[in-house]
Every structure is written in structure tokens, then in C-alpha cells.
């Protein structure tokens, strides 16, 4: 836990506090226990112990109005006594732990065991060694020195295993480090508004101390616990702590408790901070978790089943600053936010340890809320298929080798089995087993999860530069498949700098800002007061930072526009505000998405009341029954006049793309005092002062960005709360709709009417009729936005399921952001709630950054396809060569160590080289792939098979007639410890050269001709190719016995490189064959529709492979899956045993099973899952059970 565990953290604080307790009127303990009370209990306790909140402020030496003095010594002292607002994060995994985890890989374990056995046998010289009669192949070719070198192969295998492990661990470690960097960046960016020395300042959340006066407003995520001092209509969503979704209304006399990690849903106010960091409510829960994590860890150590803990979520057991758990599996019901304040999540899911530890029991608890990302789904499926094939191939290889050897030695040559020869035979069997395992190692593409991780991590890092802060890795790749974007208007498509450009005052429609002298003085006074008082006092217009720049707008942008209008009329709003400070406001009806207006009531000097209102013009005008005329006198305003005004004033303004806001007021008598809670009566009979048209100009780069989206096959829809005419005008300016096209622009009400049946229920088929043509949804409520997003996602109307991205900034956008496949939140204008619910934060609030995200997302997808195309070619070739070589010549032409080297270059290095290709604009010229597009397209399949044919032809030619071509000794049928032959070295070298040149071919997957295009823009690629080449030279020339290589002459090298270069030429030949002709080619790695997957299989998939993020547990899972499947098949076979046709299958099964039994016995006892998978002999066919 940081540098100290939480318990130390506590005791340290406790000690501090007992010594300093006297300096402030209350100790940390008292405040902490106070914050644990709720509602009325708390009110009573405050009254009894302190008197009132004012008294608490005095004891904490702070002023409710001025705040803390903000001097450094004072803040320091507070931090010492009451703690800092920061939760010490969990220790990251050390490099050694990661190494240990990488070692848990099943294939590697088997290799290690085989290598150790081989080592042991090479040191064991039985007396019968010299016995000529032991084995035929033991020719005289072996001299003493060679026999001594028998240990080298075992040692070399161990060495290469160590290499693979270190590389894997290093990758995990750097990923973890990056993640922490990202986390801390998100945290540093979160600021909060406090009052210090009478000034309103924004400070990083970690700087908040006890006694600070914090200003809370709509959309905030509270960073610390506090007591409510004063405010209007403050409603809080406490579901993250209590699990109850109702909003809680806060007031000084009923419920003043504001808790960290909860969301402000409405209103505004001030609180005095009473508990921070580990002492706040969220902090306490985190601490409990932290302690829990340690216990878990001890248990896990015993189980030693190091599940893939590197899950970044655990690492980022986030500092409270964000109260975030970066781990989308928190149950949806839980909370507003995707990884809600980890606190609640944890409280309600005791099963989910803070430690990614024993993932197996917990898998069930964290069924992923969002579906597995498309790509991970496809990859997992593909990896499992390949793994199964590899398992079968390696089993068959070993069986053939063993059978051939025994038949040849004991049957054909009729050798007796002599006891003194046993070690020699065992050594042969171990050699065969090692060959089998190497085939498997090469077949299992453990580079896949690595490629995904590298590609995503690289993209995320680069996307930061493009103003995309990615909070969930898979969002990056999902974005590449996006087919629809539902965007907000304000702030995303427009600049969010509001200015009033037209006004209707005193019966005159001014097309630009009117001259102040032309407006009646009474009207002017009312107008200024209505705007100054009836807006959040946190909204201000400040002088520009630089000479000649525009004045800075702080706070709500619409209100800034209105205040700017006051300044443009040569008036000032500050004096009005200082005369009527916030504390004196009598009642405030804050703005929310239902009211669509805001009203403030003040008490006039003569004890009567006046209410100012402002809001969307069509809504406020409906409530007006009078309007001020040119002389500043109210005149009657009838529905008929209103309709005329809508036609003559509001619609023309809206058609210019302006937002229309109506400002009005109403006077009430002092007695009887109106019933303020009866909103309908209060917000009525208003007198309209003026209607203004506010312009929010379209961002200059948006039309171009939207054109790119449309060209890339992505539909952009605008969802806004604005009037339909304004929305349509802006949509045309942005290019979302083009005049003369067939599209729909609907208002929220009309949309709801069309999608609901008579009973008022939403019907999917009704939505399906609307959404394909819908481009603008105006006057929409947050629920409408959510309904639309959900409707598009659930639609089966098109053959591809739609992948929807949504942008949002307000608290009310939370549900839609969570429902969407990718949620974008605005970094500048966005509220904390929206950021919590999002997957990507746009740090510059700009729509064109979304286009960049699409580009990166598509690039990730393509990078992985490139890697697959390369990897599978190598896999196919290596497996076939090893297999046929073993069957025909009793020895794999590619030795175990060579295979491991090939595996290392093709998995680790190639995934680095191909996964870091930078994206190009051309990615935006194609349609999105969608969910059902297979990972390996026909073109790629053509390339894979085409290159495999070339490579196999050449390798087999070299294998069988190579010695004649180069006039060298044949390497076939060499005895057990014979020296490495030039013949086999040439084969190995040629194989690697072909892979190197094919890596260049793999850079293009859509059948492009120029494979060198942009190759120098990717320095990593060039470095890796050249580096691999250099190492290969060293291995061949100086590798000697460990690598089974003998040095080659220059001309032989030239031939190897020449054959490798042939790959590039052959690539051009393949590109000439039209894919359309090759109908027989299958595509692979397709994600089937939900319905097609039988239920059991689905569950199994979810349990066994949940998170590609959890590193897919690399080979392990493939083994378990492969073995499990075999098990199931055996059971099936058992059932059908009676049918004769199944006898053959049965025999085949049994041989495979016996193979897997060996594997199970070899694997270490702690791998319970593996042994269990095969431990029930009852279900095995008798033959297999016997052999096992």
C-alpha cells in the first residue's frame, strides 16, 4: 500500500492526532464517527455535540464565506492532523512476481521438465553404453567429445525458456507501468472548486484539506466527506455507497451529510470538508478492501496458481482521488458509473477480491457487464482452434516417432530389450517427446494476446497526443468498428462559446445587439437583474488572459452568453450580485432536464417577492400571460400573440441556428406567502422581458471531420436538447444532413410517439422503422438519448449489428454513455459523472478527435490482422515441416532450440514490429468491418496458404535433395548425438530468411502491391527486422552445438538470402491471383451471432476465457480447453460405443487421450485444473484409462 500498509497509515494518523487534537476544536476520530451517521441522527448529533454547522466551522478554524486562509503552514498542519485526501495505492507487482507468473505457462513447464530429463540422462553413463547391440541408429559417427556435449540441448532449451519468460514479464511490467502513468494523469486532471481567503480557486483533488469550504455543483463527484452549509435544491445520487438509486435531497436541517464518491445530480451549494482520504467514507471502504487484498494474497500464495493478476485494475486500486476502479466488471445495477467508485462495487461484491488472485472462484462473480470486446472474442476463438490443432499434431508426431522406433528396433531388427540399454532407449524417447512439445510450442500462437496488448498499449499512448484519453483499453479497438456516432451538439460540434446576437425587446426584433439608449430604463433594469441574479453565481465573465483575446467564460456557457449580453448593453452585473449575495436568495429552482428552465425568488425591500425565470423560449413563453412593451409597461400576451411571436421571431432565429432563451419575471404579494413547493402554480402567469437568440458557432474543423466519417461508412446523428429548427440549421452547417436527401429530423415527443405502442411500451420494430433515416433528434431528454442508443444497438434490422459511439458531457448523459459500445466524455465541459461513465475522454472536447479515435481503432484491428497473417504462415509451415520430417526421417529438421528461436522472433518480435504501424488516412476510405467480419479474410487466407506452399516446397526440396545441390553430407538419419550438419543448418537458415522477408509482405493485408509503402515511418519495424537478421548470423556462425548449427560459407548464405528474397517476388505473384476466383478458401476467426452458439458452450467460453486483458493466461487456457474438449468427445464416444462405426473413432480417441494423460502426469501437482480435467477414469474409454 504505497510505502506503508493502511494499518500503519492509520496508527500513524492516530498518534498524530492524539498529540495535536487540542489545536482544533474536534479530533479526527470525532469527525469520522460523525460522518458515519445519516439523516436525522446526524442532525441530532450535530445539535447535541456542536450546536450547528457554523460552530463546527469555528472549531475547524474556517469561515463559511471566506474559506481557509490558505497559508502553507496551516494547510500542512491540517494535513498532518486530519490526513491527506489521498488513498495509498496498492503496491504494483514486482518484476519477479511477473516472471513467476510467466513461468506458469503450461507449454513452458512441459518443456522445462523435458529439458531437465534430457539433461539428467546426458550425464548418466551406464556401463552398457558401449554395447553395440543397443540401437541401430547408434552408428560409429559419434566420437567422445560429441557424447560429452549431450547436455547442451537440454541446457539450450532451458535458456530459451528463460528468454521467453523474461520477455513476457518485461512486457507485462511495462504495460502495468503505462497504466499507472495513465491513472495518475487522470487523477491529476481532476480539480475541485474551493473557497480560500475569499477567492474561488480550483485545486487538484489531492490538495483538499479538512476545513476547506468546497463549492459543489451539478455533475460533480464529491472528493471528500463534508457537511452541507448552504445551497439550493441540492440532490445527490448516493447509490455508489448505499445502493439505493433514489436521489437524496440535502438540507441543513434534515440531511446535511455529503459523502465522498457520490454524485451531485441537481442544484448547487457549499460544504465544509470534514474527512479526507482514508478517513472519508469511500476511504474507509477502500482500506477494508486493502486489508482484504493482503489476506487473499496469502491464500493465493498457497494455491500457487498465479492467475493472471497483472490485471491493471488491481494495480490501479485507484487513489481516492477518483475513487475509480478501472475494471468494467462492476455489476450494472450497482451504480451510475462504469467503474463506479470501487467502494460500492466492493461492498456489494464480497466475492471480488481486490487482488486479481484466485480468479477461478471469482470468474462467476464478475461476469463481464459489457460483452467481451469484438476483437478479443474473435481472437480467443481463433487461438483455441489453432491450439487444438497443434495439440493433435504434436500428439501424433510423438506417437509416430515412438512407434517407428520401437517397430524398427525390436520387430524389424529383432533386437532384444537389454536392461543395460534402457537409458539409451529412454534418451531416444525423451528426444521424441521434446520434438513433440516443440511442435506444440510453435503451433500455439501465444503471441496473439501479446500482439493485442502491445498494439492497444501503443495506440493508447499515441492517442493521448491526439487528445483521446482512453480509460478502457478495448474501447480503442471497438471504435474502429463503429458504424454510428450519436453526438451532442453543444460543445462537441460547436465551440461552446455562446454569444447573444439577436434580441426581441420592447416589441422590436433587433438583428444585432441593440443600442442601450433604445431600450427603456425600467426594462433595462429588470433585464439586468433577471440575468445577474437568476444564474449561478459561479458563472462569470473574466478579462482575457492575453491582450486581444476574447474574454474568458467561466461556468455555464449559456449563462455566460447572457452575462455577455448585459456587458454588451454597457451595463454591469457585479453590483447587482453584491447587493443580493447568494446567501440572501429566497428560493432557487435549479435547471434540470425536466424543467428546462431556472427560476430564482428574491425578497424585495417591501417584503413582497419577485421571481426571475429564464429558459427555452417555447417553454417559458407558454407560461407568460404578459409582455413588456416599448414603454416598459406590461401588456396582455394572448396565445394568439404567442403563435405570432413564434412565427415572426423565434422560428427565424432558430433557422439561423440560434438558441432562443426567454427571460421573464413575476411578482408575488408578501402575504399570504405562496406555497413555493407547488411548482405548477408558481411557474405561471409570468411577464416576458425579452427573448434573445444565442449563437454557438460550429467548430471550423467539424464539417470536414463529419465528411470523413461519412466517407468511412459511419453515420453521424445529432442528439440535442435544442429547438428543432436550431438543430436542423446546425446539422446542415455541419454536413450531417444535406438538403434534398431523404432523412428524418424529429423532436423528442414525436420520436416517443412513433416508437411506443398503444400501451406506451417501446417496441423494437417501431424503432427499426425510424433509426436508419433519423439524423437529428431535437428537444430530447436523456431517456430519449438512451432509448435511441439502445434501439440502434439491439436492432437486427441490418445484417451487421451496429456499433454505436456516443458523446456526452452532462450528468444526464451517463446512462447513454454506459449503454453505448464506446462512450466519449468531454474533458473540458464534461461533468465528473459523464467522465465516470465514459470509455474515452476527449481532452479538447472536439469532434475531430473522434475521427482520430476511429483511425486508431481501425489501425489496431489491421495491425492484429497483419500479425495473424504472418504468424499463421510460420505456424503452418513449422508444424508441417516438423511433423512430416519426423515421420519420414525420424527427426525434426528444425531442432527444439531452433523452433524456440523461431517462436521467439515470430511471436514476440513480430508482434512488436507489426503492431506498431502508425495509422494512415487511407484507413478512413473503407467501410467499418462490423461485428461479424472474420479476422482472417479471404485475401489473407490466400496469402497465408500461398506463402506456405512456397516455403514448404523449398524446405522439402532442400531436405531431400539439398545435399546434392550443395555437394555436402546429408543430415538425414543422423545418430543421436551426431554433430550438427551443414545440410540442416541451411534448412534452418533458409526458413528464417523466408520468415524475415515474409514479415515485410505481411505489412499489407488488403492485397496491395507496394509492401514497402511507408516502411520508414515505422522505425521499430526496421530495427526488428535488421536486429533479427544480425542475431541469425550470430546463431548460424557461432551457435554450434546448442543451436545445432554448423557455420556456413558465403555462397551458401547467398543462396539462403536469395530464396528468402523470392518471398517478395512470390508475394507479387499471389497478389495477381484474384481472390474472387478462390471460392474454396474459408474465412476464419468469425464471431458467430449469439443464437448460433449453444448455451453450454457460451457459458464455458465466458468462464474459461473471460478477459483477454487478463493475458488470456497464454497457453494454459488452450491446454485446458483442448483437454476439456477431448474429455467431452471421449464421453460422447463412450455413449455411442455400441455402434460399430464408432470403433475407429474410439481407437483414435484413446491414443490422443493417452497422450494427454502423459502430459497431465508430467505437469506439476499444483495445476489442479489440468489433472482434474482428466482424473475421472470412469469417463475414459477403458483403453485410454489403461494406458494412462
Amino acid at each position: 500500500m504505497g510505502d506503508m500498509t493502511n494499518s500503519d497509515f492509520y496508527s500513524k494518523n492516530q498518534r498524530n492526532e492524539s498529540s495535536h487534537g487540542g489545536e482544533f476544536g474536534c479530533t479526527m476520530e470525532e469527525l469520522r464517527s460523525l460522518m458515519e451517521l445519516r439523516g436525522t441522527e446526524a442532525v441530532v448529533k450535530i445539535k447535541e455535540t456542536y450546536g450547528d454547522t457554523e460552530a463546527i466551522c469555528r472549531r475547524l478554524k474556517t469561515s463559511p464565506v471566506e474559506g481557509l486562509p490558505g497559508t502553507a503552514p496551516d494547510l500542512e498542519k491540517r494535513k498532518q492532523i486530519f490526513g491527506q485526501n489521498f488513498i495509498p495505492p496498492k503496491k504494483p507487482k514486482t518484476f519477479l512476481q511477473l516472471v513467476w507468473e510467466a513461468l506458469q505457462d503450461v507449454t513452458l513447464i512441459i518443456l522445462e521438465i523435458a529439458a531437465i530429463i534430457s539433461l539428467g540422462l546426458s550425464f548418466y553413463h551406464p556401463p552398457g553404453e558401449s554395447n553395440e547391440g543397443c540401437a541401430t541408429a547408434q552408428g560409429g559417427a559419434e566420437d567422445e567429445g560429441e557424447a560429452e556435449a549431450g547436455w547442451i540441448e537440454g541446457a539450450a532449451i532451458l535458456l530459451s525458456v528463460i528468454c521467453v519468460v523474461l520477455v513476457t514479464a518485461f512486457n507485462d511490467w511495462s504495460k502495468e507501468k503505462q497504466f499507472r502513468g495513465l491513472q495518475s494523469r487522470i487523477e491529476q486532471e481532476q480539480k475541485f472548486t474551493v473557497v480560500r481567503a475569499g477567492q474561488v480557486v480550483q485545486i487538484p483533488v489531492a490538495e483538499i484539506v479538512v476545513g476547506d469550504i468546497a463549492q459543489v455543483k451539478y455533475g460533480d463527484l464529491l472528493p471528500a466527506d463534508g457537511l452541507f452549509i448552504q445551497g439550493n435544491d441540492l440532490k445527490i445520487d448516493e447509490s455508489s455507497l448505499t445502493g439505493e438509486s433514489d436521489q437524496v435531497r440535502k438540507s441543513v436541517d434534515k440531511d446535511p451529510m455529503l459523502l465522498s464518491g457520490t454524485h451531485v445530480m441537481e442544484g448547487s451549494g457549499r460544504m465544509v470538508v470534514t474527512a479526507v482520504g482514508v478517513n472519508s467514507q469511500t476511504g474507509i471502504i477502500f482500506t477494508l478492501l486493502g486489508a482484504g487484498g493482503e489476506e487473499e494474497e496469502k491464500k493465493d500464495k498457497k494455491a500457487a496458481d498465479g492467475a493472471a493478476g497483472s490485471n491493471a485494475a488491481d494495480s490501479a486500486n485507484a487513489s481516492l482521488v477518483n475513487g475509480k476502479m478501472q475494471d468494467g466488471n462492476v455489476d450494472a445495477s450497482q451504480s451510475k458509473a462504469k467503474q463506479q467508485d470501487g467502494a460500492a462495487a466492493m461492498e456489494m461484491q464480497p466475492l471480488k477480491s481486490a487482488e486479481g488472485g484466485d480468479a477461478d472462484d471469482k470468474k462467476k462473480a464478475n461476469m463481464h457487464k459489457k460483452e467481451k470486446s469484438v476483437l478479443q472474442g474473435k481472437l480467443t476463438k481463433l487461438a483455441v482452434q489453432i491450439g487444438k490443432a497443434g495439440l493433435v499434431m504434436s500428439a501424433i508426431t510423438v506417437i509416430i516417432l515412438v512407434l517407428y522406433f520401437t517397430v524398427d528396433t525390436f520387430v524389424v531388427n529383432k533386437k532384444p530389450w537389454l536392461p543395460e540399454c534402457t537409458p539409451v532407449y529412454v534418451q531416444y524417447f525423451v528426444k521424441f517427446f521434446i520434438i513433440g512439445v516443440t511442435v506444440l510450442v510453435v503451433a500455439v500462437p501465444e503471441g496473439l494476446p501479446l500482439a493485442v496488448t502491445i498494439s492497444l498499449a501503443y495506440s493508447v499512448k499515441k492517442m493521448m497526443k491526439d487528445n483521446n484519453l482512453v480509460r478502457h483499453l478495448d474501447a480503442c479497438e471497438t471504435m474502429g468498428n463503429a458504424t454510428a456516432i450519436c453526438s451532442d451538439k453543444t460543445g462537441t460540434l460547436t465551440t461552446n462559446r455562446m454569444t447573444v446576437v439577436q434580441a426581441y425587446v420592447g416589441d422590436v426584433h433587433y438583428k444585432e445587439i441593440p443600442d442601450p439608449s433604445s431600450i427603456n430604463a425600467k426594462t433595462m433594469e429588470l433585464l439586468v437583474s433577471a440575468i445577474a441574479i437568476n444564474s449561478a453565481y459561479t458563472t462569470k465573465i473574466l478579462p482575457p488572459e492575453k491582450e486581444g483575446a476574447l474574454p474568458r467564460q467561466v461556468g455555464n456557457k449559456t449563462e455566460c452568453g447572457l452575462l455577455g449580453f448585459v456587458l454588451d448593453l454597457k451595463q454591469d452585473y457585479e453590483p447587482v450580485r453584491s447587493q443580493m449575495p447568494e446567501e440572501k436568495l429566497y428560493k432557487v429552482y435549479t435547471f434540470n432536464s425536466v424543467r428546462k428552465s431556472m427560476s430564482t425568488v428574491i425578497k424585495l425591500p417591501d417584503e413582497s417577492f419577485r421571481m426571475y425565470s429564464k429558459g427555452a423560449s417555447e417553454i417559458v413563453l407558454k407560461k407568460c400571460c404578459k409582455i413588456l412593451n416599448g414603454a416598459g409597461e406590461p401588456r396582455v400576451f394572448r396565445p394568439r400573440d404567442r403563435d405570432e411571436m413564434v412565427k415572426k421571431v423565434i422560428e427565424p432565429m432558430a433557422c439561423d441556428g440560434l438558441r432562443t432563451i426567454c427571460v421573464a419575471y413575476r411578482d408575488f404579494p408578501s402575504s399570504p406567502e405562496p406555497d413555493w413547493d407547488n411548482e405548477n402554480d408558481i411557474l405561471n402567469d409570468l411577464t416576458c422581458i425579452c427573448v434573445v437568440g444565442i449563437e454557438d458557432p460550429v467548430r471550423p474543423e467539424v464539417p470536414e471531420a463529419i465528411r470523413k466519417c461519412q466517407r468511412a461508412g459511419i453515420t453521424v446523428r445529432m442528439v440535442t436538447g435544442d429547438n428543432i429548427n436550431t438543430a436542423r440549421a446546425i446539422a446542415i452547417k455541419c454536413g450531417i444532413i444535406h438538403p434534398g436527401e431523404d432523412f428524418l429530423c424529429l423532436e423528442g415527443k414525436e420520436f416517443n410517439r412513433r416508437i411506443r405502442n398503444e400501451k406506451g411500451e417501446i417496441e423494437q420494430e417501431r424503432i427499426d422503422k425510424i433509426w436508419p433515416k433519423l439524423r437529428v433528434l431535437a428537444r430530447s431528454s436523456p431517456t430519449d438519448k438512451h432509448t435511441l442508443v439502445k434501439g440502434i444497438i439491439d436492432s437486427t434490422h441490418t445484417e451487421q449489428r451496429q456499433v454505436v459511439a456516443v458523446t456526452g458531457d452532462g450528468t444526464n448523459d451517463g446512462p447513454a454513455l454506459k449503454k453505448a459500445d464506446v462512450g466519449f466524455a468531454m474533458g473540458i465541459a464534461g461533468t465528473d459523472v459523464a467522465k465516470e461513465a465514459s470509455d474515452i475522454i476527449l481532452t479538447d472536447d472536439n469532434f475531430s478527435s473522434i475521427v482520430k479515435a476511429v483511425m486508431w481503432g481501425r489501425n489496431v484491428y489491421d495491425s492484429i490482422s497483419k500479425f495473424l497473417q504472418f504468424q499463421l504462415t510460420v505456424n503452418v509451415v513449422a508444424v508441417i515441416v516438423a511433423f512430416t520430417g519426423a515421420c519420414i526421417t525420424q527427426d525434426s529438421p528444425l531442432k527444439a532450440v531452433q523452433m524456440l528461436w523461431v517462436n521467439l522472433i515470430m511471436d514476440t518480435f513480430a508482434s512488436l514490429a507489426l503492431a506498431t504501424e502508425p495509422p494512415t488516412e487511407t484507413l478512413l476510405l473503407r467501410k467499418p468491418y462490423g461485428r461479424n467480419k472474420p479476422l482472417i479474410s479471404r485475401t489473407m487466407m490466400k496469402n497465408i496458404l500461398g506463402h506456405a506452399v512456397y516455403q514448404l516446397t523449398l524446405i522439402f526440396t532442400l531436405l531431400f535433395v539439398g545435399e546434392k545441390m550443395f555437394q555436402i553430407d546429408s543430415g538425414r538419419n543422423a545418430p543421436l548425438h551426431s554433430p550438427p550438419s551443414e545440410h540442416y543448418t541451411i534448412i534452418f537458415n533458409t526458413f528464417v530468411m523466408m520468415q524475415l522477408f515474409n514479415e515485410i509482405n505481411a505489412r499489407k493485408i488488403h492485397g496491395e502491391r507496394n509492401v514497402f509503402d511507408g516502411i520508414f515511418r515505422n522505425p521499430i519495424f526496421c530495427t526488428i527486422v535488421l536486429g533479427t537478421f544480425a542475431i541469425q548470423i550470430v546463431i548460424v556462425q557461432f551457435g554450434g552445438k546448442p543451436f545445432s548449427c554448423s557455420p556456413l560459407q558465403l555462397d551458401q548464405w547467398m543462396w539462403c538470402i536469395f530464396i528468402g528474397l523470392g518471398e517478395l517476388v512470390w508475394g507479387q505473384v499471389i497478389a495477381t491471383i484474384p481472390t474472387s476466383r478462390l471460392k474454396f478458401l474459408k474465412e476464419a476467426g468469425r464471431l458467430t451471432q449469439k443464437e448460433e452458439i449453444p448455451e453450454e458452450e457460451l457459458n464455458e467460453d465466458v468462464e474459461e476465457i473471460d478477459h483477454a486483458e487478463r493475458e488470456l493466461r497464454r497457453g494454459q487456457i488452450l491446454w485446458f480447453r483442448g483437454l476439456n474438449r477431448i474429455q467431452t468427445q471421449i464421453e460422447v464416444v463412450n455413449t455411442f460405443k455400441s455402434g460399430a462405426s464408432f470403433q475407429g473413432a474410439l481407437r483414435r480417441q484413446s491414443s490422443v487421450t493417452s497422450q494427454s494423460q502423459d502430459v497431465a502426469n508430467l505437469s506439476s501437482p499444483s495445476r489442479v485444473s489440468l489433472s482434474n480435467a482428466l482424473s475421472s477414469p470412469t469417463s475414459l474409454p477403458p483403453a485410454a484409462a489403461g494406458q494412462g
Side-chain angles (χ1 to χ4, degrees), residues 702-977:
V702 162
E704 171 60 16
I706 285 181
R707 216 177 61 243
K708 280 184 188 164
C709 278
Q710 287 163 341
R711 203 172 53 213
I714 301 170
T715 315
V716 183
R717 295 184 174 81
M718 181 161 104
V719 183
T720 172
D722 254 348
N723 163 324
I724 187 143
N725 296 321
T726 313
R728 191 185 283 118
I730 300 268
I732 290 173
K733 281 186 191 164
C734 293
I736 290 178
I737 53 185
H738 304 286
E741 277 184 358
D742 178 21
F743 54 78
L744 286 173
C745 293
L746 295 180
E747 282 204 336
K749 278 201 188 104
E750 171 66 7
F751 173 68
N752 272 308
R753 194 183 60 68
R754 289 199 191 184
I755 62 171
R756 290 172 194 276
N757 58 18
E758 299 70 45
K759 295 186 192 141
E761 295 158 348
I762 297 173
E763 285 190 352
Q764 184 65 41
E765 48 275 23
R766 288 177 184 237
I767 299 184
D768 286 351
K769 288 202 184 84
I770 296 177
W771 72 257
K773 287 188 179 169
L774 182 70
R775 289 294 175 274
V776 176
L777 184 58
R779 280 275 172 256
S780 69
S781 66
T783 17
D784 295 341
K785 190 170 186 176
H786 182 256
T787 310
L788 175 66
V789 172
K790 184 174 184 311
I792 298 180
I793 288 180
D794 295 346
S795 168
T796 48
H797 176 78
T798 46
E799 71 272 22
Q800 292 281 7
R801 139 145 160 44
Q802 296 279 312
V803 178
V804 184
V806 171
T807 69
D809 51 7
T811 307
N812 48 16
D813 293 327
L817 287 171
K818 285 230 301 278
K819 178 66 196 162
D821 293 286
V822 183
F824 284 92
M826 301 296 136
I828 303 168
T831 56
D832 296 340
V833 181
K835 289 180 189 172
E836 279 288 287
S838 70
D839 299 294
I840 297 181
I841 296 174
L842 293 178
T843 47
D844 62 346
D845 288 14
N846 192 337
F847 187 84
S848 58
S849 303
I850 298 180
V851 182
K852 296 240 177 67
V854 171
M855 213 154 82
W856 276 108
R858 292 187 170 189
N859 191 49
V860 167
Y861 214 91
D862 280 7
S863 299
I864 285 162
S865 295
K866 288 171 191 172
F867 173 64
L868 262 176
Q869 177 174 308
F870 174 69
Q871 164 107 21
L872 292 181
T873 315
V874 187
N875 274 7
V876 170
V877 176
V879 170
I880 293 180
V881 167
F883 177 71
T884 36
C887 298
I888 300 172
T889 67
Q890 281 68 67
D891 183 9
S892 162
L894 298 172
K895 301 289 183 285
V897 183
Q898 297 174 351
M899 288 277 218
L900 281 170
W901 159 239
V902 169
N903 203 34
L904 187 75
I905 58 169
M906 70 185 200
D907 274 1
T908 318
F909 297 157
S911 59
L912 254 176
L914 292 167
T916 50
E917 290 268 322
T920 54
E921 286 281 329
T922 46
L923 287 170
L924 293 175
L925 298 177
R926 64 169 172 77
K927 298 273 174 277
Y929 283 149
R931 294 195 156 242
N932 311 343
K933 163 110 173 40
L935 262 183
I936 302 176
S937 59
R938 276 237 174 92
T939 317
M940 286 168 61
M941 209 49 147
K942 177 183 75 177
N943 291 344
I944 292 172
L945 294 178
H947 287 294
V949 167
Y950 173 83
Q951 297 186 7
L952 285 171
T953 316
L954 280 164
I955 285 179
F956 283 134
T957 313
L958 286 175
L959 180 59
F960 294 116
V961 294
E963 72 271 26
K964 297 193 186 67
M965 288 160 50
F966 289 105
Q967 273 108 41
I968 46 177
D969 295 337
S970 162
R972 294 194 300 282
N973 297 328
L976 191 57
H977 291 297

Side-chain angles (χ1 to χ4, degrees), residues 133-182:
C134 275
T136 39
Q138 210 74 5
E142 192 174 338
D143 56 42
E144 265 317 285
E146 289 306 335
E148 294 307 304
W151 60 272
I152 290 184
E153 183 167 45
I157 293 180
L158 285 179
L159 199 74
S160 33
V161 166
I162 291 170
C163 272
V164 173
V165 166
L166 287 177
V167 171
T168 316
F170 179 73
N171 272 314
D172 286 350
W173 178 77
S174 56
K175 183 174 105 207
E176 176 110 333
K177 195 161 130 248
Q178 249 181 354
F179 197 92
R180 286 190 171 246
L182 178 75

